[in-house]
Amino acid sequence: MNVFPGVDGGPWHVSAFRLSGEGQGEAEAVGRVRELRARILFDHGRRPDFRTTDGGYADDQDLDLGAWHFVGRREPGGPPLGYVRLSTPETGDLFQTRAYLGTERYEELLRECGFGAAETFEHSRLVVEHQARKLGLGVYLNAFAIAAARCLGAKAMIGTSGTADGQDRFHERFGFRPIPGSRRYVERYTEDVVIMLYRSAFPAGEHAGLVEQLENVFPAATVSARKAGLGGDRRAGAGAGRGSRNGFRACSERLAAMSLRSDGAEPCWQPVHFDLGRAQDEARLLELLESGAVREVLDTMEDQLTELVTSRDPRLRSSPDAVERAVTEQLAGVEVREYGSWVWYPWSGRLVHLLPREEFRLVRTDRNRGRIDRAQQRSLLGRRVGVIGLSVGSSAALTFAMEGIGGSFKLADFDSLSVSNLNRLRAGVHHLGLNKCVLAARQMLEIDPWLDIEIYPGGLTADTMDDFFSGGAGPIDLLVEECDTPYVKVAAREHARALRIPVVMDANDRGLLDVERFDLEPNRPVLHGLLGDTTSQDLTDLTHEQAIDVILTMVDRDRISPQLTAAITEIGTTLSSWPQLASGVALGGALTAEAARHILLGGPRPSGRFYTDLELLTSADRSTLP
């Protein structure tokens, strides 16, 4: 069972389980599921066919056996408040949509949409108690069913939907689309019914973020019918006990399906802003809260307002009354809860209340003052920076974001985070497999949600080079180059020189900072002439050994550290790749940021190579103490 936060601070407890109907315990669970559905569908007499002659409730369907069932509660052990069913292709002959359309039309429809019966799941019987609908349980259960179907390998989901209460419009918000010509009145439901279809390769409409989150937890949410509180014994259902081989196999299959599924959707990395001063944003934020997608709400606005007024006038700190008056004046009659912006981070489920952009940035960079004055800070935030290579480059990108060097960024890297990257990248194990551009963009936007960031998750190629330097939202003002590919390193500099864009690079060895002021020296040879007349086109088809030789020439093989010299001959035999340490990467972020700040502010920072060799600078003979 997994717990997901609902609105008003209360949690939803959602159980996912599969029923076979075998054994007394499972038979009891089947009966309770059917009774729960029928009672909600009866709806105080609105659908009388779900009431039995003895006063009970019944919704008997063979489709229940072999299907996945999802039950939502307000608290563990509490009464079930909602339910939805997900049927797999194994029971496709029993699908309600097949019965509704007839087998011939059903199969024809799937062919027209480009799907086969073996990859189509059916979503049905979404029912929620009235009081729980307002709290977003229906949205949660619907999202859970979609997430489960995608984890299990569904290419499409199909189902029937009522229309009287806007159920069809509800499903459209998740990306379902009505099938033309399929709407007709159904006596049992006392309303028009329509067939709706969802393509799993597409984002789930307005609730794509929630579905993505639930995909990650579906396997852990599966329990037996007994644990779901719907009857059964320890032997009932797949995976009921630790020693159940069937349970292990079922869990393994679901994990494999989830791991191998690839729908081509790009992971989200942009936050969503809400201004409660606009009616439209207020309605959108309310809908978000009711969806249950918000896992955590962070509101420190009163503290932020205090920081704002004391940043403007530090003398206020000595007088709490003066601070309170200044805050009241700043609010100008606006409620604290409505001041500023609410920022939603879909990937973490966090909703954060922040000062308006300019005030937020004034406070966030306040401690830069004395080193960077406010006019300089505004100038820096008006610049656009390109970063190529988000391993070593991630330290630079994050340092730039923290220091306020650039308000716009273009990030390029084709690679995804792997376990061996965790020795030097600021990331967690839950980020494994995530493209490094997406990872860096998320982290930067968590520092400043108003940054303008464009990503190039395919890396830089001949096809994307021009757009990276000059297209998109605008040309870059400075390039940070930290990639490992000789062709890209040289081609990027050729573009930068043609456009008079300065380039900085950290070599991650001996604190080497490389600066090329193409903005001041448009005829300067690429990489200070170390490669002679070599162009990027000469570097397109290098062998592994040739690539290493070119890179060593670029960094000046006679000046590299003894440790790197010894490691080079081991690369590909005892070493998997270039040795790199987090301390060196962190230093590189500092060096490139320091150089970029001076360049962008028009300060002295000439072309050249400069070493901040900590091994040398912290040796015993360099100590300043007697």
Side-chain angles (χ1 to χ4, degrees):
M1 179 179 292
N2 259 272
V3 181
F4 305 101
V7 294
D8 297 329
W12 291 123
H13 297 258
V14 181
S15 306
F17 55 94
R18 202 170 188 179
L19 292 174
S20 67
E22 298 176 1
Q24 181 180 354
E26 285 253 330
E28 291 176 4
V30 171
R32 293 184 183 182
V33 162
R34 291 171 173 173
E35 183 181 12
L36 167 66
R37 288 195 314 241
R39 178 174 53 78
I40 299 175
L41 285 166
F42 177 68
D43 196 12
H44 306 289
R46 177 180 169 186
R47 301 183 186 91
D49 283 357
F50 291 95
R51 195 71 183 263
T52 61
T53 55
D54 62 1
Y57 301 95
D59 182 30
D60 297 347
Q61 291 188 317
D62 291 340
L63 194 55
D64 291 326
L65 306 183
W68 282 94
H69 304 265
F70 303 87
V71 175
R73 295 178 170 84
R74 199 65 161 137
E75 57 188 17
L81 297 175
Y83 165 91
V84 68
R85 178 177 64 198
L86 178 67
S87 300
T88 69
E90 298 165 336
T91 56
D93 289 344
L94 301 175
F95 280 6
Q96 292 184 157
T97 43
R98 182 186 288 271
Y100 180 93
L101 292 171
T103 295
E104 183 177 348
R105 174 57 187 141
Y106 172 79
E107 294 179 351
E108 180 185 18
L109 170 63
L110 293 186
R111 286 194 299 271
E112 290 172 355
C113 295
F115 301 112
E119 55 193 13
T120 303
F121 286 52
E122 185 178 67
H123 158 286
S124 58
R125 286 300 193 262
L126 175 62
V127 293
V128 180
E129 298 279 14
H130 281 283
Q131 69 271 26
R133 294 176 193 174
K134 300 176 182 178
L135 299 176
L137 178 56
V139 171
Y140 246 124
L141 288 170
N142 215 40
F144 215 133
I146 296 171
R150 292 171 66 169
C151 286
L152 294 169
K155 298 291 181 64
M157 292 178 70
I158 198 166
T160 57
S161 172
T163 58
D165 296 325
Q167 301 98 310
D168 52 337
R169 295 191 299 275
F170 170 85
H171 290 301
E172 285 182 9
R173 288 164 51 197
F174 286 87
F176 280 84
R177 293 294 177 261
I179 300 300
S182 66
R183 178 168 177 160
R184 70 169 184 260
Y185 183 78
V186 176
E187 183 68 33
R188 191 179 191 205
Y189 301 113
T190 67
E191 62 183 306
D192 282 358
V193 170
V194 65
I195 300 292
M196 305 195 76
L197 184 129
Y198 166 70
R199 298 172 184 268
S200 300
F202 292 178
E206 299 173 19
H207 302 293
L210 175 59
V211 170
E212 182 180 331
Q213 292 167 22
L214 295 180
E215 283 182 76
N216 295 327
V217 299
F218 165 63
T222 60
V223 298
S224 66
R226 175 183 61 82
K227 291 182 179 178
L230 291 168
D233 55 29
R234 290 188 177 271
R235 294 167 295 178
R242 178 174 296 196
S244 168
R245 190 65 190 171
N246 289 337
F248 172 81
R249 187 178 299 111
C251 183
S252 178
E253 289 172 355
R254 290 195 295 275
L255 285 170
M258 180 176 179
S259 298
L260 294 173
R261 183 188 60 78
S262 177
D263 56 19
E266 186 177 286
C268 61
W269 53 273
Q270 293 174 306
V272 181
H273 295 254
F274 300 92
D275 179 356
L276 294 190
R278 296 198 293 260
Q280 183 180 6
D281 279 13
E282 185 176 5
R284 288 171 56 228
L285 180 57
L286 181 60
E287 184 177 346
L288 173 66
L289 292 169
E290 290 178 344
S291 75
V294 178
R295 292 184 176 183
E296 186 176 4
V297 176
L298 300 169
D299 187 356
T300 60
M301 183 52 66
E302 292 182 357
D303 292 337
Q304 293 176 51
L305 285 164
T306 296
E307 281 195 281
L308 173 63
V309 298
T310 55
S311 294
R312 288 172 170 163
D313 186 355
R315 294 169 297 180
L316 294 176
R317 296 177 187 274
S318 61
S319 172
D321 290 341
V323 169
E324 185 176 351
R325 287 193 298 272
V327 167
T328 299
E329 183 178 342
Q330 180 68 35
L331 288 170
V334 177
E335 293 289 334
V336 173
R337 189 62 60 89
E338 296 179 0
Y339 192 80
S341 297
W342 287 87
V343 182
W344 160 239
Y345 292 98
W347 55 90
S348 67
R350 294 189 177 97
L351 180 66
V352 188
H353 193 190
L354 297 174
L355 291 166
R357 185 183 73 169
E358 297 309 317
E359 295 170 9
F360 170 82
R361 286 179 166 174
L362 184 148
V363 176
R364 198 188 71 75
T365 61
D366 184 59
R367 295 291 294 274
N368 287 354
R369 288 195 300 153
R371 302 292 298 275
I372 305 173
D373 65 36
R374 283 180 173 157
Q376 290 174 323
Q377 194 75 72
R378 286 192 295 272
S379 175
L380 289 171
L381 286 168
R383 298 304 191 101
R384 179 172 282 104
V385 176
V387 184
I388 305 174
L390 272 303
S391 287
V392 174
S394 68
S395 177
L398 290 173
T399 304
F400 280 41
M402 284 187 281
E403 203 163 293
I405 303 172
S408 303
F409 293 86
K410 293 184 178 183
L411 311 178
D413 199 317
F414 66 87
D415 201 11
S416 297
L417 185 75
S418 62
V419 174
S420 61
N421 295 141
L422 294 176
N423 78 318
R424 61 194 186 280
L425 266 73
R426 178 179 170 265
V429 292
H430 58 294
H431 294 125
L432 291 173
L434 191 65
N435 178 271
K436 292 175 183 176
C437 291
V438 174
L439 175 61
R442 287 181 176 182
Q443 293 174 336
M444 294 165 73
L445 287 161
E446 286 172 349
I447 295 168
D448 182 345
W450 286 278
L451 292 175
D452 175 14
I453 299 180
E454 298 171 78
I455 65 171
Y456 293 75
L460 279 198
T461 66
D463 293 333
T464 59
M465 197 77 72
D466 287 340
D467 187 72
F468 180 86
F469 278 90
S470 305
I476 60 175
D477 298 300
L478 179 137
L479 174 66
V480 181
E481 188 281 299
E482 298 291 353
C483 74
D484 297 328
T485 307
Y487 163 76
V488 176
K489 296 178 84 70
V490 175
R493 284 170 170 79
E494 290 171 346
H495 275 73
R497 182 173 61 182
L499 297 168
R500 304 188 68 161
I501 296 170
V503 179
V504 297
M505 174 186 73
D506 162 65
N508 199 234
D509 182 61
R510 294 190 60 209
L512 168 57
L513 171 69
D514 186 276
V515 179
E516 293 169 278
R517 295 300 303 271
F518 295 127
D519 55 325
L520 303 179
E521 305 166 87
N523 297 317
R524 186 178 183 82
V526 166
L527 285 163
H528 317 289
L530 290 171
L531 294 181
D533 296 329
T534 300
T535 68
S536 58
Q537 294 306 310
D538 300 323
L539 304 173
T540 54
D541 296 307
L542 301 181
T543 65
H544 177 68
E545 292 74 17
Q546 289 172 331
I548 290 179
D549 185 65
V550 169
I551 291 175
L552 287 175
T553 302
M554 290 179 180
V555 298
D556 192 348
R557 69 185 72 228
D558 295 330
R559 292 181 178 273
I560 61 176
S561 66
Q563 296 95 327
L564 184 56
T565 301
I568 289 169
T569 58
E570 302 298 320
I571 296 174
T573 55
T574 62
L575 296 177
S576 59
S577 188
W578 300 92
Q580 295 176 318
L581 296 176
S583 52
V585 171
L587 176 61
L591 293 174
T592 52
E594 180 79 7
R597 187 177 71 249
H598 281 83
I599 291 170
L600 294 174
L601 290 176
R605 186 61 78 232
S607 297
R609 288 205 159 164
F610 313 92
Y611 288 88
T612 307
D613 189 340
L614 296 183
E615 190 80 18
L616 177 65
L617 294 175
T618 58
S619 59
D621 62 332
R622 292 299 185 97
S623 174
T624 60
L625 296 176

